[in-house]
Amino acid sequence: MGKEKAGFLTPKAIANRIKAKGLQKLRWFCQMCQKQCRDENGFKCHTMSESHQRQLLLFADSPDKFIDSFSEEFDEGYTELLRRRFGTKRVHANIVYQEYISERQHVHMNSTQWETLTEYIKYLGREGKCVVDQTEKGWFVQYVDRDPEAIKRQKATETKEKMDLDDEERTAKYIQEMIERASETGRERPEAEYTELKRDNDEEKVAFNLGGAKKEEAATSKSLPVVNPLQAKTREKIVKTMSAGQKRKSALDEIIEFEEKKKEKLKRKDHWLHTGIVVKVMTKRLGEKYYKKKAVVKDVQDLYTGILKMVDSGDKIKVDQAHVETVIPAQGKPVLVVNGASRGCEGTLVSINEDKFCCKIRLDTGPLRGRVIEGVLYEDISKLFVTS
């Protein structure tokens, strides 16, 4: 009798399936046949097979065609993974490559026109598909999204920001014209002239007419409503209402306040890092030597990450904005508004209110330059680095 055929659940069959699962050695993989061998003997047997010889004959007829096909497939797979997994974030090239080759049926790099990953990354930079840069830790890539819909959205955002900026400049110009018009109207009013009391005749009696004051008192008494004296609370409310009416804001003040609230809502973001400002490191994860030390923001990446240069040691570190805080300089020193209605404008610190944790600044740039703003929070401004 012949030997019984091994079953599906025999130890040998299970071991073979475990070995076949996952990645194997690259040197025992045949790209033309899409065949992965487990060891050197298996790969040698495969190269001597008839099917492999036929594939080699096809490759010999047009090698450039196959290499270009494999290169294009590898390029599409790598860039698609970079786009879906990381978007437009800056990431290490080898991290993307490790995720790409984790798939069993991927195209191997030794079958493409690029011999190393570095050559392929340089190719992406030359073609403009990615923004690449080399650091001490290796090559980093950042995907450039050239999708028509993404470009359209970006242009729409830029157009909206430009229109908002034009509206702010127009509003500032209109407010300035109203201020000038109001000041000119105030100048045209004749000012009261006070002269000395002169008497032509010393015997003539001097008489003062106090009827106007009595009329005013009578008018005031008539204007007050008749209220039950027992209803004191109601009377207090009426007095408060009258006093509030006397302190009513002018139309110009209301327009200015409305525009400031509109700009505050529009320009307040959840990210505030700007290049050129001085910040203080507030995390101990980077070491005690950087804790509560001042640094200058040299570059901002992904809106929330900053490349800092320490003021005392000159070391460069990369931290998130959650681990730093703004620095308030001395009075008279330059500052940068990092958040709020005047975001991005430079100014000068006028005074500090330590009780309310806010300060007063004077804007030096922007459409409202020269204006003094009160009640600016500590986290909305930071010291501007000035080279000595």
Side-chain angles (χ1 to χ4, degrees):
M1 293 179 64
K3 190 176 180 181
E4 187 179 355
K5 190 176 180 181
F8 181 76
L9 296 177
T10 59
K12 186 174 181 180
I14 294 173
N16 289 337
R17 285 198 301 274
I18 292 174
K19 291 177 183 178
K21 206 173 185 180
L23 297 175
Q24 304 290 325
K25 287 192 176 181
L26 180 60
R27 61 178 177 173
W28 296 333
F29 180 82
C30 178
Q31 186 68 52
M32 286 295 298
C33 304
Q34 299 288 322
K35 174 73 174 177
Q36 175 69 62
C37 301
R38 275 189 229 146
D39 51 22
E40 188 176 359
N41 185 39
F43 186 71
K44 182 180 178 181
C45 294
H46 170 72
T47 56
M48 296 173 64
S49 64
E50 185 180 354
S51 61
H52 179 74
Q53 296 297 329
R54 284 198 302 268
Q55 292 292 335
L56 287 184
L57 291 174
L58 292 174
F59 179 80
D61 291 339
S62 55
D64 294 338
K65 176 183 176 182
F66 284 96
I67 292 177
D68 292 343
S69 175
F70 292 143
S71 301
E72 184 178 356
E73 189 175 350
F74 176 83
D75 183 33
E76 289 179 357
Y78 188 91
T79 53
E80 181 66 17
L81 176 64
L82 179 61
R83 183 185 68 83
R84 285 189 292 103
R85 177 71 173 80
F86 301 99
T88 56
K89 294 182 179 179
R90 180 175 174 268
V91 64
H92 201 286
N94 195 42
I95 294 177
V96 185
Y97 181 69
Q98 293 298 328
E99 290 196 17
Y100 174 73
I101 66 175
S102 62
E103 184 186 356
R104 184 180 176 84
Q105 300 298 330
H106 71 276
V107 178
H108 293 72
M109 182 170 284
N110 60 357
S111 62
T112 65
Q113 61 183 348
W114 307 288
E115 295 182 359
T116 60
L117 181 61
T118 301
E119 293 183 5
Y120 174 64
I121 297 303
K122 291 180 180 179
Y123 161 79
L124 292 178
R126 287 195 304 268
E127 293 296 322
K129 296 182 179 180
C130 298
V131 178
V132 302
D133 61 305
Q134 186 180 17
T135 64
E136 297 177 355
K137 296 182 179 180
W139 286 91
F140 284 82
V141 292
Q142 184 177 1
Y143 181 73
V144 178
D145 194 355
R146 300 191 181 278
D147 184 34
E149 292 295 329
I151 295 174
K152 186 177 179 181
R153 287 195 301 269
Q154 185 177 0
K155 287 184 178 179
T157 304
E158 292 176 355
T159 305
K160 185 177 180 300
E161 290 179 355
K162 186 177 180 182
M163 290 177 63
D164 293 338
L165 185 61
D166 293 342
D167 292 341
E168 290 176 9
E169 293 177 353
R170 256 197 311 271
T171 305
K173 186 177 180 181
Y174 174 69
I175 293 173
Q176 188 64 28
E177 289 178 356
M178 291 187 66
I179 293 173
E180 292 177 356
R181 195 181 306 164
S183 61
E184 290 176 0
T185 306
R187 289 196 205 101
E188 292 176 358
R189 292 180 180 177
E191 297 181 358
E193 296 182 0
Y194 300 96
T195 58
E196 295 180 0
L197 180 62
K198 295 181 179 180
R199 298 175 60 186
D200 297 334
N201 189 2
D202 296 336
E203 297 179 357
E204 185 179 356
K205 294 182 178 179
V206 178
F208 296 96
N209 187 6
L210 303 178
K214 291 180 180 179
K215 289 181 180 179
E216 289 180 0
E217 291 177 0
T220 308
S221 61
K222 288 180 181 179
S223 61
L224 288 173
V226 179
V227 184
N228 190 341
L230 298 177
Q231 299 175 348
K233 293 184 178 179
T234 308
R235 181 162 184 168
E236 288 178 0
K237 289 183 180 178
I238 295 173
V239 173
K240 287 181 180 179
T241 306
M242 294 179 64
S243 62
Q246 292 175 358
K247 296 179 181 178
R248 185 179 178 182
K249 296 180 181 179
S250 64
L252 179 60
D253 295 335
E254 291 180 356
I255 292 173
I256 294 174
E257 185 178 357
F258 175 75
E259 292 299 328
E260 286 181 351
K261 289 181 179 180
K262 182 179 177 182
K263 286 194 291 183
E264 177 74 19
K265 185 178 180 181
L266 180 67
K267 288 194 172 184
R268 182 162 290 280
K269 310 287 184 182
D270 58 347
H271 54 88
W272 54 269
L273 281 179
H274 288 69
T275 56
I277 63 173
V278 180
V279 295
K280 185 184 291 185
V281 180
M282 300 301 295
T283 179
K284 295 182 180 180
R285 296 180 181 178
L286 302 173
E288 292 291 339
K289 66 176 183 177
Y290 297 136
Y291 182 58
K292 288 192 176 181
K293 299 293 184 181
K294 294 181 181 179
V296 183
V297 180
K298 291 296 183 181
D299 189 19
V300 179
Q301 298 175 356
D302 304 331
L303 302 178
Y304 301 94
T305 307
I307 305 298
L308 311 183
K309 183 179 181 181
M310 305 305 297
V311 176
D312 52 357
S313 62
D315 298 342
K316 285 190 176 181
I317 58 175
K318 182 178 179 181
V319 296
D320 189 84
Q321 73 170 12
H323 298 149
V324 296
E325 67 176 18
T326 58
V327 174
I328 306 300
Q331 296 182 10
K333 297 295 182 179
V335 295
L336 181 72
V337 183
V338 297
N339 214 344
S342 303
R343 180 187 180 99
C345 297
E346 297 180 6
T348 304
L349 184 64
V350 178
S351 62
I352 300 175
N353 190 342
E354 296 181 357
D355 297 332
K356 297 183 179 181
F357 302 100
C358 60
C359 51
K360 182 196 294 186
I361 64 170
R362 182 180 64 255
L363 296 178
D364 298 334
T365 60
L368 299 177
R369 59 180 176 273
R371 185 177 177 185
V372 177
I373 303 178
E374 298 182 359
V376 182
L377 301 177
Y378 286 167
E379 56 265 23
D380 288 347
I381 62 170
S382 189
K383 180 179 178 180
L384 195 63
F385 180 74
V386 179
T387 56
S388 56

